[in-house]
């Protein structure tokens, strides 16, 4: 094998950070190989006057780099996967998906946005993507804290430039907020040349990590792909050695939807594939080429409902328990962040004022919206996938919340389960059984039961048929049911079960 190779990539800090990740992957397996970087200016770099979705053509940030391969001026091209819109990318040449950061988009605001919200002033959001413009602005209408009786007025305006350039424009006051990929921010916060400037630009900002289901990312977002030509055998050997097969498979799942609904910066939908401990699934949502809204799930649910009686506890959430609020509940004031399992957990002004001074995360968007109505700034949520799902987000350089800095605020029953796992948790209300005879009879007759919480199962387990099948969403409910010796059929979320069941 040759000892020296050339990598072609763009000249932005982010592109160079991705090239360095590629170099480290290669060095770990081929310590004798030297890799030089050739910086290429692409058409996307040259044309900065228009929003990308108005620029004609495709592959604005990859075409010239790929040309270097074809002209044998470089051995490898390193790209952000979401920039590769070629329909036949996986069918041509040789490639390796080598790394993936967080999937999420992030809204970053100047602190002055609080006064604008309070005064009912227009909030200008900078984004170069119709997908982000449509989804994120709609989400922010419900997610920003309610600080007056005036509705939020949000307007999306085009922004161009590299990540650090966009952060500088925000810092200069050209926008009240901007939307970026969390992946790029995290990579820059680990890339030595960029750390000081990027961390400085972020230091006084307010952040919202946008939820995956309401604001799904572009296909391939957060992934790095490297490619070479079919006749560069030494380069092919290197790519085959560093290729990450699970990531490659995830990207392929996402690109199925990109092929169906379209690639490029003008698209108005997002898609992501997620592998959790309990289930793997793909989710796509947005608008197709005819501006028709769609939502699609792809996951395995091995349940035969034909001639079976199915009972979904998720359809009777209010019929299992009453809530006994603990007026003098005390939370851990030393905690730096709170994870709110239900908006019911923040039920008085003392609790509200206490958590308002800290960083707040929610179990899902329903809880997020209710907390926002109380005037609370929510930084992000677990998308209804469980507390475990956001651990990687907490550990990321952008968020940087240590495990011992978080307290979960929930009900007293759930509190005990969390504490048994060594997690700081407090109960601010108690669940009081409130089960009607009608619900008892339905559970006793059911062949298949979908549990929305483990507490529902605990309350009803003496009523259940011995051969009944159990189902639930991923997260704490699934893990607790498994501890009971059950083998529940796991769905991604409660909404995923509802969508699946309505089709069956």
């Amino acid at each position: 094998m040759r000892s020296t190779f050339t990598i072609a990539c763009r000249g932005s800090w982010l592109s160079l950070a991705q090239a360095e990740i590629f170099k480290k992957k290669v060095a770990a397996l081929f310590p004798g190989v030297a890799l030089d970087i050739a910086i290429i200016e692409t058409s996307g770099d040259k044309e900065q006057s228009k929003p990308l979705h108005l620029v004609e053509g495709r592959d604005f940030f990859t075409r010239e780099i790929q040309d270097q391969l074809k002209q044998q001026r470089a051995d490898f091209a390193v790209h952000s996967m979401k920039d590769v819109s070629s329909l036949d990318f996986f069918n041509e040449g040789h490639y390796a998906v080598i790394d993936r950061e967080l999937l999420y988009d992030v809204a970053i605001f100047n602190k002055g946005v609080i006064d604008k919200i309070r005064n009912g002033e227009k909030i200008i959001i900078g984004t170069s993507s119709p997908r982000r413009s449509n989804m994120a602005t709609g989400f922010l209408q419900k997610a920003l804290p309610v600080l007056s009786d005036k509705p939020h007025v949000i307007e999306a305006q085009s922004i161009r430039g590299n990540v650090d350039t966009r952060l500088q424009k925000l810092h200069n006051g050209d926008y009240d907020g901007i939307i970026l990929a969390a992946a790029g921010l995290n990579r820059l916060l680990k890339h030595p040349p960029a750390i000081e400037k990027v961390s400085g630009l972020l230091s006084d900002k307010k952040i919202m990590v946008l939820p995956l289901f309401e604001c799904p990312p572009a296909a391939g977002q957060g992934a790095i792909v490297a490619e070479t030509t079919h006749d560069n055998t030494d380069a092919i050997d290197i790519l085959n050695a560093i290729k990450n097969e699970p990531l490659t498979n995830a990207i392929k799942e996402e690109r199925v939807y990109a092929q169906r609904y379209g690639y490029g910066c003008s698209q108005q939908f997002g898609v992501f594939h997620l592998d959790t401990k309990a289930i793997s699934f793909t989710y796509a949502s947005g608008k197709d080429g005819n501006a028709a809204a769609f939502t699609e799930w792809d996951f395995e649910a091995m349940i035969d409902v034909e001639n079976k009686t199915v009972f979904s506890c998720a359809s009777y959430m209010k019929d299992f328990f009453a809530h006994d609020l603990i007026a003098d509940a005390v939370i851990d004031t030393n905690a730096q962040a709170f994870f709110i399992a239900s908006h019911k957990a923040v039920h008085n002004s003392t609790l509200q004022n206490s958590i308002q001074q800290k960083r707040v995360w929610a179990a899902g968007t329903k809880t997020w919206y209710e907390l926002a109505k109380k005037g609370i700034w929510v930084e992000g949520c677990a998308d209804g996938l469980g507390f475990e799902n956001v651990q990687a987000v907490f550990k990321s350089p952008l968020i940087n919340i240590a495990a011992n800095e978080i307290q979960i605020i929930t009900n007293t029953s759930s509190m005990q389960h969390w504490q048994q796992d060594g997690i700081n948790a407090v109960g601010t209300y108690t669940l009081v059984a409130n089960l009607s005879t009608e619900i008892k009879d339905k559970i006793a007759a059911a062949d298949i039961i979908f549990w929305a919480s483990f507490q529902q199962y605990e309350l009803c387990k003496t009523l259940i048929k011995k051969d009944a099948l159990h189902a639930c969403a991923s997260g704490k409910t699934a893990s607790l049911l498994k501890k009971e010796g059950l083998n529940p059929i796991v769905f991604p979320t409660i909404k995923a079960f509802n969508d699946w069941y309505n089709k069956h």
Side-chain angles (χ1 to χ4, degrees):
M1 178 178 287
R2 291 155 44 204
S3 60
T4 303
F5 295 82
T6 300
I7 305 167
C9 67
R10 297 169 61 205
S12 68
W13 268 343
L14 180 55
S15 295
L16 293 172
Q18 294 179 163
E20 288 300 322
I21 291 171
F22 175 77
K23 289 176 69 175
K24 288 178 181 177
K25 299 278 187 184
V26 174
L29 296 178
F30 301 90
V33 167
L35 293 167
D36 299 323
I37 294 177
I39 295 174
I40 308 301
E41 187 177 29
T42 68
S43 55
D45 298 312
K46 296 173 184 176
E47 174 53 78
Q48 294 282 328
S49 61
K50 296 180 183 178
L52 275 177
H53 66 279
L54 297 180
V55 180
E56 292 185 5
R58 290 179 180 271
D59 296 311
F60 311 116
F61 296 112
T62 61
R63 188 184 308 115
E64 287 82 0
I65 295 172
Q66 290 170 319
D67 286 345
Q68 295 294 305
L69 296 182
K70 295 172 184 177
Q71 296 164 11
Q72 298 183 341
R73 295 178 180 176
D75 301 288
F76 301 104
V78 176
H79 315 288
S80 294
M81 188 72 245
K82 73 172 184 177
D83 289 340
V84 180
S85 60
S86 171
L87 296 176
D88 296 319
F89 179 79
F90 283 110
N91 298 323
E92 297 178 354
H94 293 267
Y95 66 91
V97 179
I98 62 166
D99 187 70
R100 193 169 204 181
E101 250 286 353
L102 296 180
L103 303 176
Y104 305 81
D105 280 331
V106 179
I108 304 167
F109 297 89
N110 287 320
K111 281 192 172 181
V113 74
I114 295 296
D115 289 333
K116 285 204 164 189
I117 293 171
R118 189 173 286 115
N119 298 330
E121 298 177 49
K122 182 187 294 184
I123 299 167
I124 305 299
I125 302 292
T127 174
S128 60
S129 160
R131 172 183 59 83
R132 288 172 173 166
S133 296
N134 293 338
M135 293 181 177
T137 54
F139 169 74
L140 292 172
Q141 291 280 358
K142 297 176 284 186
L144 287 170
V146 176
L147 302 175
S148 73
D149 57 359
K150 299 175 181 177
H152 299 134
V153 181
I154 301 172
E155 179 181 312
Q157 292 185 4
S158 176
I159 185 172
R160 289 292 310 275
N162 297 327
V163 173
D164 49 301
T165 302
R166 298 187 192 196
L167 285 172
Q168 188 66 58
K169 290 178 179 180
L170 172 66
H171 192 74
N172 294 344
D174 298 349
Y175 305 87
D176 300 305
I178 59 174
I179 300 172
L180 297 170
L185 291 165
N186 279 325
R187 287 189 175 122
L188 290 181
L189 289 169
K190 292 183 283 188
H191 184 54
I195 292 172
E196 183 177 358
K197 181 176 182 180
V198 173
S199 59
L201 290 171
L202 288 169
S203 63
D204 61 346
K205 302 299 186 287
K206 298 189 73 67
I207 290 175
M208 281 188 175
V209 178
L210 303 182
L212 291 174
F213 294 112
E214 280 71 17
C215 305
Q221 182 160 305
I224 301 173
V225 65
E227 63 172 322
T228 190
T229 52
H230 70 278
D231 55 353
N232 195 332
T233 56
D234 286 343
I236 290 171
D237 288 342
I238 289 174
L239 291 185
N240 288 340
I242 67 172
K243 189 174 189 176
N244 186 313
E245 289 292 347
L247 287 182
T248 300
N249 292 335
I251 299 302
K252 285 183 176 179
E253 292 291 337
E254 294 174 11
R255 286 174 71 91
V256 167
Y257 292 88
Q259 289 176 353
R260 186 178 303 165
Y261 295 112
Y263 290 93
C265 301
S266 63
Q267 303 308 318
Q268 300 183 58
F269 73 93
V271 56
F272 66 92
H273 178 85
L274 201 60
D275 294 315
T276 72
K277 285 185 177 180
I279 189 171
S280 295
F281 67 95
T282 307
Y283 175 86
S285 181
K287 294 181 179 179
D288 63 19
N290 297 317
F294 73 92
T295 294
E296 294 187 23
W297 297 85
D298 185 8
F299 57 86
E300 288 190 8
M302 305 301 289
I303 303 181
D304 181 7
V305 298
E306 188 174 354
N307 300 320
K308 300 287 179 62
T309 301
V310 181
F311 181 79
S312 173
C313 298
S315 300
Y316 298 86
M317 295 288 281
K318 298 178 181 179
D319 298 317
F320 282 81
F321 300 100
H323 302 90
D324 187 2
L325 307 180
I326 303 173
D328 58 351
V330 177
I331 61 176
D332 183 358
T333 55
N334 292 319
Q336 298 303 305
F338 294 107
F339 183 87
I340 314 300
S342 167
H343 68 92
K344 298 180 185 72
V346 184
H347 53 72
N348 61 42
S349 58
T350 300
L351 292 169
Q352 183 173 319
N353 292 336
S354 296
I355 73 167
Q356 234 164 0
Q357 309 307 315
K358 302 294 180 74
R359 301 170 71 177
V360 177
W361 282 70
T365 51
K366 179 180 178 182
T367 299
W368 186 329
Y369 297 153
E370 293 299 323
L371 293 173
K373 291 176 184 176
K374 299 175 188 287
I376 296 170
W377 185 281
V378 179
E379 199 169 271
C381 76
D383 285 290
L385 294 166
F387 181 67
E388 183 181 80
N389 186 63
V390 286
Q391 297 312 298
V393 185
F394 291 155
K395 293 175 184 176
S396 69
L398 177 64
I399 303 302
N400 193 27
I401 301 175
N404 62 0
E405 295 177 336
I406 306 169
Q407 183 177 51
I408 296 176
I409 303 181
T410 184
N411 61 71
T412 54
S413 176
S414 295
M415 172 194 73
Q416 295 173 7
H417 294 300
W418 287 116
Q419 289 179 345
Q420 288 170 6
D421 291 340
I423 295 173
N424 184 0
V426 63
T428 61
Y429 67 99
T430 300
L431 297 175
V432 181
N434 188 36
L435 203 57
S436 68
T437 301
E438 178 189 3
I439 301 299
K440 290 180 180 179
D441 291 342
K442 288 184 176 181
I443 287 177
D447 301 304
I448 302 169
I449 306 172
F450 180 87
W451 303 104
S453 73
F454 182 70
Q455 287 72 31
Q456 291 175 339
Y457 166 78
E458 283 188 307
L459 180 62
C460 303
K461 60 184 177 181
T462 59
L463 306 172
I464 304 165
K465 289 180 180 180
K466 287 186 179 180
D467 59 349
L469 290 177
H470 301 269
C472 65
S474 62
K476 193 68 171 177
T477 301
S479 63
L480 290 173
L481 288 175
K482 289 176 182 177
K483 283 184 179 180
E484 284 284 294
L486 302 176
N487 186 27
I489 306 299
V490 179
F491 288 77
T493 65
I494 292 174
K495 185 180 184 299
F497 171 79
N498 289 336
D499 288 355
W500 174 86
Y501 185 55
N502 288 336
K503 292 178 181 178
H504 290 75

